[in-house]
């Protein structure tokens, strides 16, 4: 049996303040095995991005438990959590989130340098070569296409060799063909390194490429029997 890498128990979270509070995650139980690829789907506003932020240790639960790679994140201090994220989690966003005044090489190397990794620029160069950008090392994000920027973001996410790669609509800002190439890259890196991949997408074809799909509705997971009995009712 494969090792469990993510375990959520009764995960509950309300966001906002005063009149604008939203009960975003409503007692979610979830278990994900090492090396799985999981596609999280569901309507807009159902809580998918928030769930990813909880898995990434970027959002804290109000109640419940979250264990990632054997660390109980709900029990860690802010410092310990930041340290854990740097070593264990890679994140890719829809809008790339690169630093505009840093080159592709610097975007990948500087976080490694800040984490006191040895030879950060050598690692960054190797990671960028591995995503096919060996000839774009000194380009700034504004000089790169959307697909190339997302490749830099993937290289940056993978550079610390995280156990868990999280992607929030990684192809959402790309045309169909470029999106397919980025998905190919994510799945090939996941397979090659045995990384666990959890992604959110509105693209049914991308979700179908994952080893498992999780449907979220109004902050709760849709039970498997409902997914099987009426899959067409689950808009993404
Ligand atoms: N900081 C916040 N304060 C108040 N409400 C919030 C906050 N962040 C998110 N929400 C609300 O929580 C709900 C879930 O948001 P979330 O971003 O997780 O949805 P999503 O499923 O990712 O949607 P989309 O598919 O549109 O990206 C939404 O109704 C949103 O308005
Ligand atoms: Mg979202």
């Amino acid at each position: 049996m494969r090792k469990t890498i993510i375990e959520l128990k009764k995960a509950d979270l309300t966001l906002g303040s005063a009149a604008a509070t939203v009960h975003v995650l409503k007692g979610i139980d979830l278990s994900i095995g090492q090396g799985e690829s999981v596609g999280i789907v569901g309507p807009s506003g159902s809580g998918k991005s928030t769930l990813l932020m909880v898995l990434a240790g970027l959002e804290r639960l109000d109640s419940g438990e979250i264990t990632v790679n054997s660390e109980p994140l709900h029990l860690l201090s802010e410092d310990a959590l930041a340290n854990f994220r740097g070593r264990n989690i890679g994140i890719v966003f829809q809008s790339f989130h690169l630093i505009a005044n840093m080159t592709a090489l610097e975007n990948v190397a500087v976080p490694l340098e800040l984490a006191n990794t040895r030879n950060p620029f050598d690692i960054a160069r190797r990671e960028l070569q591995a995503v096919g950008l060996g000839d774009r090392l000194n380009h700034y994000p504004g000089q790169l296409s959307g697909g190339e920027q997302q490749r830099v973001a993937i290289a940056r996410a993978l550079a610390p060799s995280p156990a868990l790669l999280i992607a929030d609509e990684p192809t959402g800002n790309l045309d169909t063909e470029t999106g397919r190439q980025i998905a190919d890259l994510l799945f090939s890196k996941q397979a090659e390194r045995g990384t666990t991949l959890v992604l959110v997408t509105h693209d049914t074809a991308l979700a179908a490429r994952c080893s498992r799909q999780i449907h979220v509705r109004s902050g709760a997971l849709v039970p498997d029997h409902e997914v099987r009995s009426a899959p067409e009712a689950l808009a993404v």
Side-chain angles (χ1 to χ4, degrees):
M1 221 177 89
R2 60 168 111 204
K3 182 183 161 207
T4 298
I5 190 159
I6 298 173
E7 183 101 66
L8 280 178
K9 286 189 184 153
K10 296 189 172 24
D12 214 275
L13 178 62
T14 296
L15 289 174
S17 52
T21 57
V22 180
H23 192 184
V24 189
L25 302 180
K26 302 173 184 163
I28 291 188
D29 290 318
L30 175 62
S31 179
I32 293 175
Q34 187 166 29
E36 269 197 273
S37 58
V38 176
I40 300 179
V41 295
S44 180
S46 56
K48 306 181 298 296
S49 294
T50 307
L51 178 57
L52 280 193
M53 292 304 102
V54 166
L55 300 184
L58 285 165
E59 194 76 72
R60 278 188 187 277
L61 295 173
D62 291 333
S63 62
E65 298 178 4
I66 166 146
T67 305
V68 178
N69 213 8
S70 306
E71 284 282 356
L73 303 193
H74 54 287
L75 299 178
L76 297 186
S77 67
E78 284 305 322
D79 281 354
L81 197 54
N83 189 280
F84 173 84
R85 277 198 305 268
R87 285 183 290 111
N88 293 278
I89 316 271
I91 309 182
V92 175
F93 296 95
Q94 176 174 2
S95 49
F96 322 135
H97 287 208
L98 299 177
I99 297 173
N101 61 1
M102 286 190 190
T103 63
L105 186 64
E106 290 165 344
N107 263 283
V108 181
V110 169
L112 296 171
E113 202 170 30
L114 292 174
N116 295 320
T117 308
R118 289 176 64 186
N119 306 321
F121 283 84
D122 293 341
I123 296 172
R125 200 171 292 112
R126 208 163 54 229
E127 291 290 349
L128 284 163
Q129 282 162 355
V131 298
L133 288 179
D135 55 354
R136 294 286 189 279
L137 300 180
N138 296 313
H139 281 53
Y140 289 90
Q143 300 171 320
L144 296 170
S145 71
E148 288 169 343
Q149 289 182 60
Q150 195 60 305
R151 283 171 191 271
V152 176
I154 291 170
R156 178 180 59 184
L158 289 171
S161 300
L164 177 59
L165 181 61
I166 282 176
D168 196 351
E169 302 191 38
T171 62
N173 275 359
L174 303 171
D175 63 74
T176 309
E177 176 53 23
T178 309
R180 198 185 52 74
Q181 290 169 4
I182 289 295
D184 287 349
L185 186 64
L186 284 172
F187 286 112
S188 71
K189 295 292 164 204
Q190 182 243 340
E192 185 183 304
R193 302 183 184 203
T195 312
T196 307
L197 172 66
V198 182
L199 62 83
V200 161
T201 185
H202 285 277
D203 177 351
T204 45
L206 175 55
R209 290 183 64 176
C210 295
S211 57
R212 175 151 65 112
Q213 292 186 42
I214 291 172
H215 296 260
V216 181
R217 187 176 55 203
S218 303
L221 302 192
V222 180
D224 284 347
H225 66 86
E226 259 188 64
V227 176
R228 278 195 301 273
S229 63
E232 68 288 348
L234 300 163
V236 288

